[in-house]
Amino acid sequence: MSKTQTPRPIRGTQDIFGPEAEAFAFVVETFERVRKLYRFRRVEMPVFEKTEVFSRAIGETTDVVSKEMYSFEDRGGESLTLRPEFTAGIARAYLTDGWQQYAPLKVATHGPLFRYERPQKGRYRQFHQIDAEIIGAAEPQADVELLCMADQLLKELGIEGVTLHLNTLGDGDSREAWRAALIDYFGAVQGELSEDSQERLHKNPLRILDSKDPRDRKFVGDAPRIDQFLSDDARAFFDAVTSGLDAAGVKWERAESLVRGLDYYRHTAFEFIPDEGSAAANALGSQSTVLGGGRYDGLMESLGGAPTPAVGWAAGIERLAMLVGEKGEAGADVIVVVEEDAAMASAIAALGKLRAANLSCELIASGSPRKRFDKAVKANPEGILAFSVRDGEETWRVRGDVPITQDIEKALS
Ligand code: ATP
Ligand code: MG
């Protein structure tokens, strides 16, 4: 290839700029504010892990592990994988870094994730999530708190027309009994199912319930329901979650065929999904889940740890950003215009003082002096501060009689 040709970006990656970048930042900033209200501690996690962290924690039969991972051998011959999700790495850290001592531990993070998927609207190969987890808490109150946090986040983002769809997968025993019944039921019509579902039948029959293939859909309606198999404990757990949500005023809908694709989920499973016909549904098209999660009490054992109850969720930042609407880049509080270059030093000193006083500002000191002022007016700031030289003395003045004048004078005094 010619050296003069510019390399193309990688398929499924994005260069986020302008209003979209502002919307992205708004999502992250709002998440940071809300996670502090709920007292989740911030963590920063590695972008890659040993491949087995994901294959063991997420499960070999899932789409994520079997089809979507970016795995490679490093120079030492070790198989590593770019993280496709946060939970597995956080669980690994909980075990290897002795975070058990902080249990119940509430942590939050955000950053890029990587999945080899077919890129389309709202679906990328490098995407970003915000993520919240409560580890070492077995009580349904933990699920309630996490869901309240998700609900408040969406409200603070101004996102409307998105509803919490909620299900229970029961405890280990309920889930096993349900699973066996699903294998019987779908096994009887195996030949009529989609290829994917025939393949899933014994490995991951719950997944057939959320198949979008019409060949599977026609059998899903009459499939055995988890409610027939719930143990008393599992039912009491689910009742506690739903009454907690009702007490908190969080609206929810029962979604009996909602299952999480990952093997380690128990009890609560949930997704926030745009309502049919809503603006949110129009904006996202078919990629409709914005936030999903659940309880994953079985995960720590798959990584060789002691049984540890935990619950968490993740939301795609890009999908949330598409729903928060246009976020323009905010205008400057003050634009500092240097009318004569001799006044440059005073202007630079003033910029420092204004920013120290928490006023956002920008310098205009290039182009013809006459045009500098026009440029500043066009940028439409709260105030324009002009520097010039009169009678050999550097002076400044605030243009016009604007409310911000006093703040500027105070900052410069
Ligand atoms: P989907 O059914 O859309 O593939 P998923 O079940 O794979 O979602 P999770 O693993 O639960 O998704 O991830 C949580 C959230 O992360 C999703 O609800 C979505 O907002 C976002 N997400 C997942 N995959 C992608 C992707 N490839 N590009 C952009 N966002 C994504
Ligand atoms: Mg997926």
Side-chain angles (χ1 to χ4, degrees):
M1 182 165 299
S2 145
K3 270 194 184 156
T4 57
Q5 216 166 49
T6 305
R8 308 309 304 160
I10 297 174
R11 194 164 130 78
T13 63
Q14 307 178 87
D15 307 308
I16 309 172
F17 178 75
E20 281 166 26
E22 293 300 323
F24 189 107
F26 174 67
V27 171
V28 173
E29 283 159 17
T30 308
F31 175 65
E32 267 299 291
R33 195 160 54 71
V34 171
R35 69 99 185 153
K36 286 180 193 159
L37 294 176
Y38 285 78
R39 300 191 46 78
F40 278 64
R41 302 167 76 173
R42 178 81 205 194
V43 289
E44 300 298 336
M45 304 306 301
V47 166
F48 54 0
E49 295 274 352
K50 292 187 180 176
T51 297
E52 65 172 329
V53 168
F54 303 113
S55 58
R56 286 172 59 179
I58 300 175
E60 301 277 2
T61 63
T62 58
D63 285 353
V64 170
V65 171
S66 64
K67 300 182 193 153
E68 298 174 1
M69 291 208 298
Y70 274 96
S71 301
F72 59 96
E73 250 182 39
D74 74 359
R75 288 170 193 271
E78 184 144 48
S79 177
L80 305 181
T81 294
L82 301 182
R83 63 185 181 199
E85 61 146 51
F86 280 111
T87 311
I90 291 174
R92 190 273 306 147
Y94 186 84
L95 298 172
T96 59
D97 299 3
W99 289 355
Q100 290 103 325
Q101 63 180 302
Y102 307 114
L105 176 64
K106 303 198 285 186
V107 293
T109 193
H110 70 85
L113 304 163
F114 306 85
R115 294 185 192 177
Y116 195 80
E117 301 206 66
R118 201 165 62 78
Q120 50 192 296
K121 182 166 145 194
R123 190 175 294 285
Y124 313 98
R125 289 184 172 173
Q126 174 172 341
F127 64 102
H128 301 77
Q129 281 182 346
I130 50 179
D131 182 278
E133 316 276 348
I134 306 182
I135 308 179
E139 316 74 46
Q141 284 69 40
D143 309 47
V144 172
E145 181 170 64
L146 207 62
L147 284 164
C148 288
M149 178 183 174
D151 185 69
Q152 182 168 357
L153 173 71
L154 295 176
K155 288 196 174 115
E156 306 236 349
L157 290 172
I159 294 175
E160 282 170 5
V162 172
T163 302
L164 166 58
H165 293 230
L166 185 68
N167 197 16
T168 176
L169 308 173
D171 48 23
D173 291 343
S174 331
R175 193 181 157 123
E176 256 326 294
W178 187 34
R179 185 189 144 92
L182 288 170
I183 294 177
D184 278 351
Y185 172 80
F186 286 116
V189 293
Q190 181 165 8
E192 297 176 60
L193 300 175
S194 68
E195 293 75 26
D196 274 350
S197 288
Q198 300 197 21
E199 166 94 0
R200 287 178 189 129
L201 181 62
H202 290 276
K203 291 190 204 152
N204 200 344
L206 273 61
R207 282 297 311 280
I208 301 175
L209 298 175
D210 71 354
S211 164
K212 295 184 177 73
D213 194 302
R215 287 171 289 174
D216 303 327
R217 299 287 334 151
K218 69 172 190 245
F219 296 111
V220 166
D222 293 327
R225 290 157 197 257
I226 180 65
D227 287 9
Q228 302 165 233
F229 304 96
L230 284 183
S231 65
D232 290 345
D233 285 353
R235 188 178 305 279
F237 191 98
F238 191 54
D239 288 345
V241 172
T242 57
S243 49
L245 292 173
D246 292 340
V250 174
K251 291 210 182 66
W252 59 277
E253 261 172 33
R254 180 70 196 273
E256 276 182 305
S257 58
L258 191 159
V259 296
R260 303 296 302 159
L262 313 182
D263 287 345
Y264 47 64
Y265 286 100
R266 299 273 192 285
H267 292 292
T268 322
F270 54 86
E271 287 180 357
F272 284 79
I273 303 177
D275 306 335
E276 218 158 304
S278 65
N282 290 340
L284 286 183
S286 57
Q287 309 311 325
S288 51
T289 300
V290 291
L291 184 153
R295 182 163 274 283
Y296 52 91
D297 292 352
L299 183 145
M300 289 293 171
E301 287 157 271
S302 67
L303 290 177
T308 308
V311 56
W313 57 249
I317 298 177
E318 288 86 352
R319 291 189 199 174
L320 291 172
M322 286 161 80
L323 299 183
V324 301
E326 289 270 300
K327 291 279 166 218
E329 290 167 75
D333 291 325
V334 184
I335 293 212
V336 177
V337 182
V338 178
E339 292 180 308
E340 281 144 273
D341 289 347
M344 188 73 79
S346 307
I348 289 171
L351 285 166
K353 288 182 179 169
L354 292 170
R355 288 170 180 150
N358 208 25
L359 294 170
S360 68
C361 54
E362 205 163 355
L363 178 69
I364 296 187
S366 64
S368 89
R370 248 174 0 101
K371 292 216 176 106
R372 292 178 192 177
F373 223 99
D374 299 345
K375 266 201 229 168
V377 172
K378 225 170 149 190
N380 197 24
E382 297 289 318
I384 296 175
L385 176 62
F387 282 80
S388 57
V389 180
R390 291 262 154 78
D391 306 328
E393 285 229 359
E394 292 179 36
T395 67
W396 56 266
R397 67 192 159 87
V398 179
R399 180 179 187 259
D401 182 19
V402 288
I404 202 171
T405 304
Q406 279 186 1
D407 296 333
I408 296 175
E409 286 171 353
K410 198 164 149 218
L412 298 187
S413 67

